[in-house]
Amino acid sequence: MTLQNPSEIISVLCLLLFKIEVVMSTNHETPFETFLNQQDSETWSRVITALLPSIHDVDKTATQIWFKFFPLDLARALQQAEDPAQLARDLLLQGKYQLKDQIDSSHRFLYGHRFWPEVKNVVAGYASSIKPSTDLDLKVLICELAGSVAKKIKVEDSLLTGITAVALMTLQQVGLNAFKLAPGIIYINPKFFKKSPEQILKARARDDWQGLFGFLKGIKKEWTVTFDENDETAKFKLIHTQELATAAMYDKRDHTWRDPRCMKEEGPIPVQCRSAACGTCWVGILGGAEKLSEVSPLEGRRIKEFGYIDTNEPKPLIRLACMAQAFGAVSIVIPPWNGVFGKFLRAWKMNRNGSQKTVTF
Ligand code: FES
């Protein structure tokens, strides 16, 4: 190609500079991304536990559930895999398991989601411009960023702490470029937008009125299971002591538009085996965990093998819906994916600082 005049030369130079800038910004971490990438899952776990007193009650459990739904170690293992698609097949991952595909929507069950555009802007701006000091503390940073957004939009800091932690973890998993490119959409029906945290907490805790002689109903009592607090149609009825997934099966509406893993006429909770064998039916318990049966030895063992939660709590915030029986109204969150990765991740973590580059499954 021969350049004819100075304006052509300037255009080509500008294009070249633009391409160099794009390539550099794509391939190089900012100092803040380097700082974030030094934070491992153990650090995050400590930080979230330490932050809990600063998170409003409406988002305390939701924040912990979100961090279980999108585990950092699994995201890193996939990023570092020689063949991520093959690893996903090996781990039987189904559905939307990557945060890059749901940067704006993965956290729509947090109350703080309604402040996402403001939080995202502040976090993106900070991550683009700040060179963190060597002694920067992740917990302090989350509180400071949440505080600065709270001041700007005049809401309590505690309503922004959980969603700010979520924003930073999302940024760590997807990278600054993808984070900035997400449009920053709020996925809440305007009707629900104005609900106060107190109204939501009250509704979450409420059991169905069983009538004046409800105590005589015994096992005939019926409870409401809410599976999306931002959608008034996202509820089904459960007969006292039924498992969540069994009750969901009687909801014959088409839920495939919500989640393609749902089978027609099988209800809103994706299921396969109904016997704690496949891991498809895991759910987060936003409200009413105390109204569920205790984890059985089978559920406890399998949920750890799937990799969803590692706890011996009798009523944890993550359950298998085909195993958990309900004795009252509950509010659940259905994750957009499932898999079997507990054993793999334990081996991957043991090897991550060693010389072995791949982990066999
Ligand atoms: S449906 Fe398979 S574990 Fe619950």
Side-chain angles (χ1 to χ4, degrees), residues 326-344:
F327 308 97
V330 292
S331 177
I332 64 173
V333 195
I334 302 168
W337 68 282
N338 60 276
V340 181
F341 53 91
K343 186 178 159 198
F344 168 82

Side-chain angles (χ1 to χ4, degrees), residues 207-244:
D207 269 334
D208 304 67
W209 167 241
Q210 301 293 325
L212 269 182
F213 299 102
F215 61 94
L216 295 174
K217 278 189 166 175
I219 59 164
K220 287 187 181 150
K221 284 180 189 156
E222 273 199 346
W223 308 112
T224 299
V225 178
T226 302
F227 57 91
D228 181 347
E229 291 183 346
N230 295 311
D231 177 352
E232 60 193 356
T233 68
K235 296 174 192 297
F236 59 84
K237 287 290 179 191
L238 174 147
I239 299 169
H240 194 67
T241 74
Q242 247 179 350
E243 292 88 9
L244 295 169

Side-chain angles (χ1 to χ4, degrees), residues 262-273:
C262 290
M263 286 180 282
K264 276 209 169 135
E265 306 214 333
E266 290 276 330
I269 304 178
V271 285
Q272 283 179 29
C273 70

Side-chain angles (χ1 to χ4, degrees), residues 71-356:
L72 177 62
D73 287 335
L74 183 61
R76 281 186 162 169
L78 284 164
Q79 282 160 3
Q80 291 167 14
E82 281 169 21
D83 185 347
Q86 183 57 49
L87 179 58
R89 283 193 291 277
D90 291 344
L91 301 180
L92 307 177
L93 302 186
Q94 294 178 25
K96 275 165 73 176
Y97 54 86
Q98 305 222 62
L99 267 178
K100 68 179 173 61
D101 301 325
Q102 45 200 322
I103 293 172
D104 287 340
S105 60
S106 71
H107 37 78
R108 67 182 290 277
F109 58 93
L110 268 77
Y111 187 85
H113 172 71
R114 65 203 69 215
F115 310 119
W116 175 245
E118 293 87 355
V119 171
K120 179 179 169 287
N121 273 345
V122 166
V123 168
Y126 185 90
S128 310
S129 58
I130 299 294
K131 189 173 178 192
S133 60
T134 48
D135 59 350
L136 182 62
D137 180 277
L138 185 57
K139 174 181 174 266
V140 174
L141 173 67
I142 291 168
C143 290
E144 282 178 5
L145 289 173
S148 77
V149 181
K151 206 171 164 190
K152 214 163 154 184
I153 60 175
K154 298 185 176 54
V155 299
E156 284 177 47
D157 292 23
S158 64
L159 290 172
L160 293 159
T161 310
I163 191 70
T164 305
V166 163
L168 286 169
M169 173 56 93
T170 304
L171 171 55
Q172 182 172 356
Q173 290 194 27
V174 307
L176 183 56
N177 279 320
F179 187 81
K180 278 163 68 171
L181 282 172
I185 293 170
I186 301 172
Y187 287 86
I188 300 181
N189 181 327
K191 204 170 155 188
F192 291 84
F193 195 87
K194 287 197 175 139
K195 282 199 175 179
S196 70
E198 289 70 29
Q199 283 173 312
I200 288 175
L201 282 168
K202 203 172 158 191
R204 200 180 277 169
R206 191 183 302 133
D207 269 334
D208 304 67
W209 167 241
Q210 301 293 325
L212 269 182
F213 299 102
F215 61 94
L216 295 174
K217 278 189 166 175
I219 59 164
K220 287 187 181 150
K221 284 180 189 156
E222 273 199 346
W223 308 112
T224 299
V225 178
T226 302
F227 57 91
D228 181 347
E229 291 183 346
N230 295 311
D231 177 352
E232 60 193 356
T233 68
K235 296 174 192 297
F236 59 84
K237 287 290 179 191
L238 174 147
I239 299 169
H240 194 67
T241 74
Q242 247 179 350
E243 292 88 9
L244 295 169
T246 305
M249 190 177 67
Y250 292 97
D251 177 347
K252 298 298 182 192
R253 293 172 294 177
D254 181 6
H255 294 284
T256 51
W257 64 273
R258 291 181 192 275
D259 187 334
R261 293 174 305 146
C262 290
M263 286 180 282
K264 276 209 169 135
E265 306 214 333
E266 290 276 330
I269 304 178
V271 285
Q272 283 179 29
C273 70
R274 297 185 182 277
S275 57
C278 70
T280 313
C281 68
W282 66 312
V283 291
I285 312 298
L286 260 187
E290 73 286 357
K291 294 180 240 171
L292 296 178
S293 55
E294 290 196 356
V295 167
S296 66
L298 173 65
E299 184 187 356
R301 180 166 50 80
R302 296 296 288 150
I303 209 162
K304 285 180 195 167
E305 287 168 5
F306 298 138
Y308 299 148
I309 193 167
D310 190 2
T311 177
N312 293 321
E313 281 175 57
K315 299 189 177 188
L317 46 79
I318 300 291
R319 299 296 300 262
L320 295 180
C322 65
M323 294 281 110
Q325 297 170 279
F327 308 97
V330 292
S331 177
I332 64 173
V333 195
I334 302 168
W337 68 282
N338 60 276
V340 181
F341 53 91
K343 186 178 159 198
F344 168 82
L345 274 193
R346 278 190 289 280
W348 180 85
K349 280 165 87 166
M350 279 172 68
N351 282 280
R352 72 181 160 186
N353 295 323
S355 55
Q356 198 174 325

